[in-house]
Amino acid sequence: MSESLQATRLQLLKDFAQAWNDHDIEALMACMSEDCRFDSSAGADIFGNRAEGLVAVRESYLAIFKVFPDAKWNEDTHFVAGDRGVSEWRFTGAKADGSSVNLMGCDLFEFAGDKIKVKDSYRKTPA
């Protein structure tokens, strides 16, 4: 892989993280490939809840903002290795009922060119 593509992908992860903190759905979706997939941290299946395609992924991202209207992903770090990438972060937010969340997590990514094809999210769950 060229250094240029690696640098582009690393910047993509940084821009993607900023879009999450800005709650900017258009910027988030601009980072995703046409055939994208999002596997959330929670869900009934072993991979969490799965959304496939731009429409379904968009709806899943918007649902996160609805549950956590003040969500932030801080203390983020990112790295890229070939067609894969990782972002580590601290998530904070409050639900509508006032309960707060403060936990560590990470996303595993697969790239298609200069776009994110797969976002697979993991997070610690407080006991």
Side-chain angles (χ1 to χ4, degrees):
M1 178 175 69
S2 73
E3 287 184 36
S4 175
L5 183 56
Q6 182 164 331
T8 297
R9 289 174 172 175
L10 184 58
Q11 187 60 52
L12 176 66
L13 293 183
K14 291 175 183 180
D15 293 344
F16 191 66
Q18 186 61 54
W20 277 102
N21 282 328
D22 293 342
H23 294 213
D24 185 342
I25 191 64
E26 299 308 326
L28 286 171
M29 297 314 298
C31 295
M32 305 301 295
S33 69
E34 292 286 326
D35 60 343
C36 60
R37 187 181 87 215
F38 169 49
D39 291 341
S40 68
S41 297
D45 293 312
I46 61 171
F47 46 75
N49 287 327
R50 177 167 284 171
E52 296 182 275
L54 288 169
V55 172
V57 169
R58 179 187 188 93
E59 290 173 7
S60 292
Y61 290 175
L62 287 171
I64 293 168
F65 296 142
K66 187 174 183 178
V67 173
F68 295 100
D70 66 343
K72 292 291 180 195
W73 291 261
N74 299 302
E75 301 174 32
D76 53 308
T77 59
H78 315 277
F79 68 86
V80 172
D83 289 335
R84 305 291 304 248
V86 174
S87 292
E88 299 172 308
W89 35 260
R90 176 184 294 270
F91 174 80
T92 59
K95 293 183 179 180
D97 67 6
S99 62
S100 63
V101 176
N102 181 3
L103 51 83
M104 300 299 294
C106 67
D107 291 321
L108 306 179
F109 295 97
E110 294 178 30
F111 299 104
D114 63 351
K115 299 284 185 178
I116 296 168
K117 182 174 181 173
V118 175
K119 175 187 186 308
D120 190 359
S121 189
Y122 295 84
R123 66 179 182 204
K124 301 289 185 181
T125 303

